[in-house]
Amino acid sequence: PHQHQETMAKQQRQRRRTPLMLCLMLCIRMSLLQMTQAQDVQLSDNFYCGATWPDAAKNCHRHCPSGENSECSDLGIGWQCFQFTGCYVAPVEVEDEEEEEDFVSN
């Protein structure tokens, strides 16, 4: 009887751990996916023009991928290209031409 109780207690502990392990595995998987997607973002994707850094970060006026202030000079006197603005270039969606052709032909 004592051995049976130990076995039952062990099974109950394992059942409690299973959802926790699944949750942990899911969290790790999602983190890895986000890291993979984040690698597609280039550092220069967040270079933006502004009169000041807060202005560039708040308004995302114009992307200046080279990081050169000359890309911003026509926007105003003293405008510069700032990095780490939090602004990012929108990803370009590539349409599949075959899908479009199928849609048009039907």
Side-chain angles (χ1 to χ4, degrees):
H2 181 67
Q3 204 173 27
H4 179 68
Q5 288 175 343
E6 285 180 22
T7 303
M8 293 294 287
K10 184 177 180 181
Q11 288 175 347
Q12 286 177 343
R13 285 192 303 269
Q14 286 176 341
R15 277 190 228 128
R16 277 185 256 153
R17 278 188 261 173
T18 301
L20 180 61
M21 290 301 292
L22 290 173
C23 182
L24 181 60
M25 288 171 52
L26 180 61
C27 289
I28 291 170
R29 172 101 170 132
M30 290 180 71
S31 295
L32 290 173
L33 180 62
Q34 287 176 344
M35 286 174 23
T36 302
Q37 291 172 343
Q39 290 174 354
D40 294 337
V41 176
Q42 301 295 317
L43 179 61
S44 63
D45 286 351
N46 72 4
F47 289 14
Y48 275 78
C49 297
T52 61
W53 182 87
D55 175 51
K58 179 180 178 187
N59 298 306
C60 305
H61 296 286
R62 179 190 294 165
H63 181 228
C64 47
S66 74
E68 296 293 324
N69 292 336
S70 60
E71 291 185 90
C72 308
S73 61
D74 64 318
L75 296 174
I77 296 172
W79 280 53
Q80 298 176 19
C81 183
F82 295 94
Q83 59 181 196
F84 306 115
T85 60
C87 305
Y88 285 93
V89 177
V92 177
E93 290 188 25
V94 179
E95 294 183 20
D96 187 2
E97 291 180 22
E98 288 183 21
E99 286 182 20
E100 284 184 25
E101 290 174 10
D102 291 343
F103 182 74
V104 172
S105 65
N106 289 334

